Amino acid sequence: PIFQRKGEKFVSKYGEIHTFLREEKYLVEALKEMGYQVQVHPEGAPLNSYYSDQEAKVANIIIRRDQLRGAYGDVGFVRQPDGQFAMIKDELDEYRGYGARWLGRVQQLYKEKQTLAMARAKGYTLKSREVIETSQGEQVRLQFVARR
């Protein structure tokens, strides 16, 4: 449930979404490209919420809610034991535009940054970048050429 009854108040909860994201560098770059000022906390830092009664959560990468238009809480990414990041957000923010579609955009930019770095390291040069509109949203197609 989105709300839990606590006395006479309704309190929102944090939700966690697991991702395939592993490399902090590309995650931070993707979030910055989306226009956010990103805080990186190797040991973790608390997430802030609109509701003072909300359970405390800690994240390693944080976007504060004052940068997230209409959000109830901060959005954070916390490193899991398997090395991947999970996104933590107020469940109410799913309906404010910070749900699966938003995370999909983050993951897409992450993958693009990671792919560009790997291609450069192997001696390839970016030839073209094409954005294609699909039923699942935008997809990016990168084309590379080998350096001579």
Side-chain angles (χ1 to χ4, degrees), residues 59-71:
N60 302 106
I61 298 172
I62 299 173
I63 305 167
R64 297 295 178 191
R65 75 173 187 195
D66 61 357
Q67 295 182 61
L68 301 163
R69 203 170 104 240

Side-chain angles (χ1 to χ4, degrees), residues 8-117:
E8 290 299 311
K9 294 192 254 180
F10 285 101
V11 181
S12 64
K13 303 184 340 181
Y14 278 113
E16 197 170 288
I17 302 172
H18 293 273
T19 72
F20 65 82
L21 309 174
R22 285 186 175 278
E23 298 181 65
E24 180 180 290
K25 172 183 172 180
Y26 303 124
L27 175 54
V28 169
E29 286 178 15
L31 294 169
K32 285 182 177 178
E33 184 168 317
M34 292 173 74
Y36 301 112
Q37 293 176 10
V38 181
Q39 296 179 2
V40 178
H41 302 278
E43 302 304 315
L47 293 175
N48 299 319
S49 175
Y50 178 79
Y51 298 97
S52 59
D53 293 352
Q54 190 152 351
E55 64 183 314
K57 287 286 186 176
V58 171
N60 302 106
I61 298 172
I62 299 173
I63 305 167
R64 297 295 178 191
R65 75 173 187 195
D66 61 357
Q67 295 182 61
L68 301 163
R69 203 170 104 240
Y72 285 103
D74 298 339
V75 169
F77 292 86
V78 64
R79 176 122 12 228
Q80 301 296 297
D82 66 2
Q84 294 179 322
F85 284 98
M87 180 176 126
I88 300 175
K89 60 162 182 50
D90 190 303
E91 287 185 351
L92 290 174
D93 289 335
E94 182 83 24
Y95 307 100
R96 299 285 183 141
Y98 305 103
R101 190 176 181 100
W102 183 86
L103 180 59
R105 178 82 178 118
V106 172
Q107 292 180 133
Q108 182 181 49
L109 285 168
Y110 170 99
K111 191 67 180 164
E112 185 176 340
K113 304 232 173 267
Q114 184 183 49
T115 301
L116 284 167

Side-chain angles (χ1 to χ4, degrees), residues 18 46 124 126 139:
H18 293 273
Y124 292 94
L126 180 65
Q139 288 188 350

